[in-house]
Amino acid sequence: MIKLKDVEEMGSVTFGDAGEVTLETIKGAVTDLAQQNGIPVAFYTDDAKEGGLFGDTYTALVAYHPEHRNDYFNMAMILTKQGNFGTVSVYAAGKSKQMNKFARSEAAKEMRRGQSMSFKVGNMISSGIMNMGKSKQKLQEEQTYYEIILNIIGAALNE
């Protein structure tokens, strides 16, 4: 179960003529466009909960990179309709190892400001150990993947 209060929206796509659009048709269209462009993507469905005990529950279509299911964010899509228009909101669900490493690294840098040299050295050593494998290139590749999938979703819905 995805709790919408715990995830961040990555983007949304609004489109017209949404009467017959379902999560299954979105999955098919995104799969086709991704394959045509050599972009790996896989899907599963999950429930997404908004609000507390009596809040709304939605079915979410979750896209993920098949080679990075546990170290990239999953992209949870929720479809809502209003009149003839539909909106797909995309949320970052799960965890991103590279983004966590960069966030910890930045927090450690901030913590060192104004501290003694011995604290700085100790902090740098522990931060270095905790953030082994941090890579700007891997982070950029991951962020580019998210941008590509968001663009594919937009293109698939606005064809």
Side-chain angles (χ1 to χ4, degrees), residues 73-105:
F73 284 121
N74 295 328
M75 301 173 76
M77 294 176 262
I78 296 176
L79 172 64
T80 56
K81 295 181 183 179
Q82 192 169 39
N84 289 328
F85 287 89
T87 299
V88 172
S89 299
V90 182
Y91 298 89
K95 294 184 171 122
S96 163
K97 288 182 181 179
Q98 285 298 320
M99 287 192 183
N100 284 341
K101 288 176 184 182
F102 274 88
R104 279 195 310 259
S105 176

Side-chain angles (χ1 to χ4, degrees), residues 84-152:
N84 289 328
F85 287 89
T87 299
V88 172
S89 299
V90 182
Y91 298 89
K95 294 184 171 122
S96 163
K97 288 182 181 179
Q98 285 298 320
M99 287 192 183
N100 284 341
K101 288 176 184 182
F102 274 88
R104 279 195 310 259
S105 176
E106 291 302 312
K109 283 180 192 175
E110 190 62 34
M111 190 184 298
R112 288 193 293 267
R113 291 180 197 245
Q115 299 293 329
S116 68
M117 183 55 76
S118 61
F119 178 86
K120 289 180 181 180
V121 170
N123 182 277
M124 287 175 17
I125 291 170
S126 67
S127 177
I129 292 169
M130 286 179 54
N131 297 319
M132 288 179 77
K134 180 178 101 170
S135 166
K136 285 184 181 180
Q137 179 183 348
K138 287 180 181 178
L139 178 65
Q140 183 60 47
E141 288 171 7
E142 180 179 342
Q143 290 173 326
T144 300
Y145 180 77
Y146 303 140
E147 290 175 25
I148 289 169
I149 295 298
L150 286 170
N151 286 331
I152 287 174

